[in-house]
Amino acid sequence: MPTPILMPALSPTMTEGNLAKWHVKEGDTVSSGDVIAEIETDKATMEVEAVEEGTIGKIVVAEGTEGVAVNDVIAYLLEEGEDASAIPSDGAAPEAAPAPAADPAPSSTEAPANAPAGTSQTPTAPIAHAGGQVASVPDMDEDRFFKDTQRQTVREALRDAMAEEMRGDDKVFVMGEEVAEYQGAYKVTQGLLDEFGARRVIDTPITEHGFAGLAVGAAFGKLKPIVEFMTFNFAMQAIDQIINSAAKTLYMSGGQMGAQMVFRGPNGAASRVGAQHSQCYASWYAHCPGLKVIAPYSASDAKGLLKAAIRDPNPVIFLENEVLYGQSFDVPTDPDFVLPIGKAKIVRAGSDVTICAFSIMVGKALQAAEELAKEGIEAEVIDLRTIRPLDVETIVNSVKKTNRLVTAEEGWAFSGIGSELSALMMEHAFDYLDAPVVRVAGEDVPMPYAANLEKLALPQPENIFEAAKAVCYR
Amino acid sequence: MARAARKTSSSGSTTTRKRSTKTDASKAQMPSVEELTKYYRDMLLIRRFEEKAGQLYGMGLIGGFCHLYIGQEAVVVGMQAAIEPGDSVITAYRDHGHMLACGMESRGVMAELTGRIGGYSRGKGGSMHMFSREKDFFGGHGIVGAQVSIGNGLGFRHKYEGTDRVSLTYMGDGATNQGQVYESFNMAALWKLPTIFIIENNKYGMGTSQARAAAGTSLAERGHGYGIPGVQVDGMDVLAVKAAGEKAVAHCRAGKGPYILEIATYRYRGHSMSDPAKYRSKDEVTKMRQEHDPIDLLKKVMLEQGADEDALKKVDREIKDIITDAADFAQQSPEPDPAELYTDVLVEA
């Protein structure tokens, strides 16, 4: 049967074009790759090549014809032994190829008509679990681990978490700037080189993009890298590898190529280090499907969640805080103390207002709660611990009780975690709110250096205190 | 289908002097007609596959970007002949040829191009994003240069695990101006990683010629400051590529660190399907096709070596059947179920 040659598309959006020129005439023999015609649109001219060998049996669309629809038959090619009599006379394509992506994707229009607006468009709970179900993380009795504890700094707890996981799994290694011989820019990796050697505790050059990408490759190869960024400010150099390579490849590969790895380091403001070293990246990473994002406050959470992060088969962003490194907490001694990712923690129970915070802001929220108590306001303070997947259930249940929410974060308010929490309350707890949600956040400026200005730029316990009073109309 | 390439040429006879621009394949031991036929077959498979992909694109069955490998077939087939199972391969977005050369099924690759469930990424990756753990093919990456850091990580992994496997890390000439390529060169040399950086120099980064984008003339020498050996290779000659590849592989397997191959090649088609390629003359393209076509050149060598013309015709017919089958499959395979939208975002622990 003669092979129809169809009007090709130059781009996915092209619907028609001009047949500018024929390079062949009827009876010419062509082989695969020969240029047979030129077609043009308002944007470009392109050559049409023969895909198979044969003889041009008939030219259906004459040179110079304008407005030829994509997939119209423009000529017929005869194979060896065929002659022109086999060509259909009307020039119609014998059962033309399936129309080019003309069908609107049916799936997107099949949302149940009776579903409330919003539920079908935006999966409501879920952020982290793209399937649309609320993240159901099994409850865990954390308290039983606190029978035997030791007093540890956050720094020591993080180090122990890594050491314990490295002892149990040779595929786990840590790399970053100054992690080995210098013992860590903030001494988080202290002692690891001595115990595990240079093969597994690797000093890198100052080359964030390169070593983050290298670690992604190692993870594709089934190693389990822990990448330390000296601060998350420097991870901006590597964010393409974190998002485009680590977070998206599992999906792009249809589930074949996951990256089990942890990116960790201090995040947010330290003290007097200026704008380029003082930014909170929680909302940046929490925005992206394919990542988990953890930001612990206490040393016990730091340990239990870092161990969980190292064991998790997904890329995990682990946001630490330089100011917290030296603070001490009770930490369980049981090496099996591993916390579930995706569970918030009520760190202070209360009935009048819910305050959601993470990382260093948890401490400030607790301070504010003490002051509020003196005025007869009992605040419930929730440590989010995991930003993605977010424990929406715990927050909503609290707000159903207190009917008020204040969010607290160091990062900027615009498109921040507080903004996300506000939207979630609209979707899940609107009828329970007795006051608008108030966001306490960093001022909308790059971080200043001057001591007084820096203090003004960062959210303080007083700001949370005032916000809580305001939502209680006090 | 993974192939154990036999070492057929001793590396000693291949010239690798800097500026001696071409490795001289004729001095290397000539592979058997059987092996030559395999290279011919693999190159032809890629050529015909890409032609068919271009055709399906023109029919609207393939969407988005589609970067064809036509003209560059000898690079990946020659390199593949130099490695063994367990060696890893990674490249950027002009990746169909690499996948086929790694032994991935043409059906699965074509069905991914049409966005169907039978594709390697179940229709969720597209032309630029396919992978196969089984064939040690690690993608398929869309950000120019990013695959170089990742490929270096695959080299790191081979060394970490104490094997003598190597990482073939492909990039185009355009990628060689990305900063992370040099970050990778540095770490690879510093830690003696078994990474072979393969620069497929097709002379144009999209529409910008190498001369307008890159200072200096030799990309092979871009690793000089890091102490990485680099050679230029004639990428239209599959045997020259194979010989150079074997030398690079031996270097890496011996624990001597990374290696750079700048392989001069040429893409006949535009950067992507929607590129009319006005930045170069028709004569330039025609001359390459007529005088340097890698498949024609190999065919000539094979006939000189006593290959049977009818046998080659038989290969042509086999390839045609494979491609027809792949194209049929790619059109018949259903679109992914809507539920697929939500799968593979995270691995459930």
Side-chain angles (χ1 to χ4, degrees):
Chain A
M1 198 175 74
T3 310
I5 299 172
L6 306 180
M7 180 71 173
L10 295 181
S11 72
T13 51
M14 174 177 161
T15 55
E16 61 171 40
N18 306 333
L19 209 164
K21 189 169 185 210
W22 279 109
H23 284 264
V24 292
K25 56 185 188 302
E26 290 176 4
D28 281 0
T29 307
V30 296
S31 54
S32 181
D34 286 354
V35 175
I36 56 171
E38 284 177 28
I39 57 172
E40 62 182 22
T41 64
D42 52 348
K43 281 184 284 193
T45 304
M46 202 128 106
E47 292 168 345
V48 181
E49 295 177 2
V51 179
E52 313 200 16
E53 57 187 19
T55 307
I56 300 292
K58 183 177 182 183
I59 288 177
V60 178
V61 176
E63 184 171 299
T65 308
E66 296 188 354
V68 182
V70 167
N71 281 346
D72 274 5
V73 176
I74 56 174
Y76 282 97
L77 191 69
L78 301 172
E79 282 187 48
E80 221 173 317
E82 287 179 339
D83 72 58
S85 64
I87 295 170
S89 54
D90 58 359
E95 64 185 277
D103 323 311
S107 58
S108 61
T109 59
E110 275 175 7
N114 59 352
T119 51
S120 61
Q121 299 298 317
T122 312
T124 42
I127 6 194
H129 283 240
Q133 286 90 41
V134 176
S136 73
V137 181
D139 279 321
M140 171 185 159
D141 177 14
E142 296 177 31
D143 292 342
R144 72 188 166 90
F145 286 98
F146 282 82
K147 288 189 190 105
D148 290 309
T149 60
Q150 57 181 332
R151 200 74 183 158
Q152 272 195 316
T153 61
V154 170
R155 171 183 290 117
E156 291 162 340
L158 291 167
R159 191 260 330 271
D160 284 359
M162 287 188 280
E164 287 173 18
E165 294 307 300
M166 289 174 76
R167 275 173 213 136
D169 188 347
D170 182 67
K171 289 185 181 300
V172 181
F173 67 93
V174 58
M175 73 187 320
E177 294 154 9
E178 311 290 5
V179 299
E181 297 197 5
Y182 195 89
Q183 305 290 327
Y186 296 104
K187 299 290 179 275
V188 175
T189 53
Q190 188 140 34
L192 296 183
L193 175 65
D194 288 346
E195 180 173 354
F196 300 103
R199 173 173 166 265
R200 299 179 66 196
V201 184
I202 302 157
D203 276 328
T204 65
I206 302 168
T207 187
E208 284 87 3
H209 198 183
F211 71 68
L214 184 151
V216 172
F220 287 167
K222 298 260 174 117
L223 299 183
K224 300 171 184 174
I226 303 169
V227 176
E228 176 175 307
F229 291 115
M230 196 181 288
T231 93
F232 262 93
N233 297 283
F234 308 157
M236 293 260 265
Q237 296 267 6
I239 201 164
D240 171 67
Q241 290 289 1
I242 297 172
I243 307 296
N244 270 320
S245 301
K248 294 181 184 172
T249 301
L250 181 73
Y251 194 83
M252 296 193 300
S253 65
Q256 283 186 72
M257 199 65 67
Q260 174 163 357
M261 62 194 307
V262 177
F263 298 97
R264 51 155 291 270
N267 170 65
S271 179
R272 309 288 311 281
V273 289
Q276 289 183 337
H277 288 68
S278 308
Q279 187 175 340
C280 174
Y281 289 91
S283 71
W284 287 52
Y285 293 108
H287 183 64
C288 302
L291 290 178
K292 293 188 177 182
V293 182
I294 297 171
Y297 165 64
S298 72
S300 58
D301 286 348
K303 184 174 183 191
L305 285 167
L306 183 54
K307 283 168 72 85
I310 294 166
R311 293 181 188 189
D312 194 279
N314 298 287
V316 179
I317 304 289
F318 198 89
L319 302 170
E320 301 160 9
N321 185 285
E322 188 193 328
V323 178
L324 291 176
Y325 279 148
Q327 295 191 17
S328 296
F329 297 81
D330 291 331
V331 179
T333 50
D334 187 338
D336 289 333
F337 173 68
V338 180
L339 289 169
I341 295 172
K343 274 285 181 196
K345 184 178 188 179
I346 297 170
V347 290
R348 185 189 194 281
S351 54
D352 298 328
V353 56
T354 300
I355 303 173
C356 277
F358 59 94
S359 189
I360 192 170
M361 293 307 295
V362 174
K364 294 185 179 181
L366 287 169
Q367 286 178 42
E370 293 308 312
E371 294 304 312
L372 289 164
K374 290 174 190 166
E375 304 212 359
I377 297 173
E378 289 303 326
E380 180 147 294
V381 178
I382 298 177
D383 179 353
L384 298 177
R385 301 198 292 190
T386 301
I387 312 293
R388 183 185 186 98
L390 191 68
D391 184 355
V392 181
E393 193 180 357
T394 296
I395 303 164
V396 168
N397 287 342
S398 176
V399 170
K400 282 181 177 175
K401 183 174 67 176
T402 64
N403 311 113
R404 294 165 172 86
L405 177 65
V406 170
T407 69
E409 67 190 304
E410 254 192 10
W412 297 303
F414 193 94
S415 298
I417 301 302
S419 308
E420 182 59 37
L421 291 170
S422 302
L424 287 167
M425 291 312 106
M426 297 289 281
E427 291 165 357
H428 293 276
F430 184 71
D431 290 339
Y432 294 89
L433 288 174
D434 285 347
V437 176
V438 172
R439 295 172 293 168
V440 175
E443 290 294 336
D444 200 21
V445 295
M447 188 66 69
Y449 167 72
N452 63 326
L453 296 182
E454 184 184 62
K455 188 156 187 291
L456 286 170
L458 286 168
Q460 305 298 338
E462 306 85 76
N463 303 114
I464 302 172
F465 174 84
E466 292 300 335
K469 277 181 64 170
V471 299
C472 292
Y473 303 111
R474 297 273 292 270
Chain B
M1 265 175 86
R3 49 199 53 116
R6 261 164 288 152
K7 294 254 166 52
T8 50
S9 77
S10 73
S11 48
S13 59
T14 318
T15 58
T16 56
R17 288 188 307 277
K18 292 206 171 72
R19 296 182 209 286
S20 82
T21 55
K22 292 177 183 173
T23 45
D24 186 349
S26 62
K27 287 185 198 159
Q29 192 187 324
M30 180 61 67
S32 68
V33 168
E34 188 191 359
E35 278 178 274
L36 294 172
T37 306
K38 182 179 156 29
Y39 309 151
Y40 176 79
R41 190 182 183 286
D42 288 353
M43 288 203 287
L44 199 65
L45 177 71
I46 296 170
R47 175 74 53 97
R48 295 287 174 259
F49 181 96
E50 295 291 62
E51 287 168 353
K52 181 58 84 176
Q55 188 187 30
L56 296 184
Y57 190 94
M59 292 160 68
L61 290 164
I62 296 173
F65 297 119
C66 187
H67 310 90
L68 301 181
Y69 199 64
I70 297 173
Q72 302 185 207
E73 298 91 345
V75 178
V76 72
V77 171
M79 286 306 301
Q80 206 64 21
I83 62 170
E84 295 170 6
D87 294 324
S88 51
V89 176
I90 188 169
T91 189
Y93 48 78
R94 196 177 306 284
D95 54 358
H96 313 158
H98 301 71
M99 295 185 278
L100 296 172
C102 284
M104 289 167 68
E105 298 291 337
S106 50
R107 277 184 164 202
V109 179
M110 196 71 92
E112 189 61 35
L113 298 184
T114 53
R116 307 303 174 92
I117 192 71
Y120 267 96
S121 299
R122 307 212 303 224
K124 289 152 81 167
S127 166
M128 300 184 284
H129 306 294
M130 282 178 252
F131 307 79
S132 170
R133 282 203 181 279
E134 190 196 347
K135 304 294 181 191
D136 297 304
F137 180 73
F138 289 84
H141 296 270
I143 308 295
V144 172
Q147 84 283 4
V148 179
S149 297
I150 299 170
N152 206 32
L154 294 166
F156 174 92
R157 167 242 186 160
H158 295 313
K159 184 173 163 111
Y160 187 92
E161 291 183 333
T163 70
D164 68 349
R165 298 299 87 186
V166 304
S167 164
L168 298 195
T169 299
Y170 288 89
M171 72 195 92
D173 47 293
T176 63
N177 298 314
Q178 283 279 22
Q180 64 182 315
V181 170
Y182 299 90
E183 300 187 34
S184 299
F185 284 179
N186 183 46
M187 283 182 285
L190 192 65
W191 299 334
K192 292 208 177 332
L193 302 181
T195 309
I196 302 176
F197 297 102
I198 302 160
I199 302 165
E200 294 193 65
N201 185 352
N202 66 19
K203 300 173 182 61
Y204 296 91
M206 195 169 159
T208 303
S209 68
Q210 187 192 341
R212 295 202 299 123
T217 52
S218 167
L219 300 177
E221 289 181 17
R222 290 270 180 110
H224 192 70
Y226 308 96
I228 306 176
V231 297
Q232 294 181 317
V233 185
D234 177 2
M236 306 310 264
D237 178 351
V238 67
L239 300 179
V241 174
K242 175 175 178 280
E246 282 170 348
K247 180 153 182 158
V249 168
H251 178 92
C252 283
R253 291 214 205 287
K256 294 177 184 170
Y259 205 95
I260 294 173
L261 295 173
E262 179 193 354
I263 304 187
T265 184
Y266 202 80
R267 68 169 147 77
Y268 296 174
R269 298 294 189 96
H271 165 72
S272 65
M273 283 301 294
S274 49
D275 170 19
K278 293 297 179 199
Y279 42 82
R280 59 188 186 186
S281 73
K282 268 184 193 168
D283 287 350
E284 179 183 307
V285 182
T286 308
K287 194 170 156 63
M288 288 303 285
R289 295 177 80 135
Q290 287 178 350
E291 297 172 18
H292 300 281
D293 185 76
I295 297 176
D296 289 349
L297 290 176
L298 178 64
K299 192 170 176 178
K300 188 160 163 272
V301 171
M302 292 173 74
L303 294 173
E304 282 165 13
Q305 296 296 314
D308 177 16
E309 188 134 24
D310 285 344
L312 295 183
K313 281 217 165 120
K314 186 160 167 272
V315 172
D316 295 354
R317 283 194 298 275
E318 282 168 16
I319 297 290
K320 192 175 174 184
D321 290 345
I322 291 170
I323 298 304
T324 302
D325 170 71
D328 289 347
F329 177 79
Q331 293 171 68
Q332 283 156 14
S333 176
E335 287 188 316
D337 188 274
E340 282 284 330
L341 180 62
Y342 298 118
T343 59
D344 306 321
V345 178
L346 291 171
V347 178
E348 296 302 328

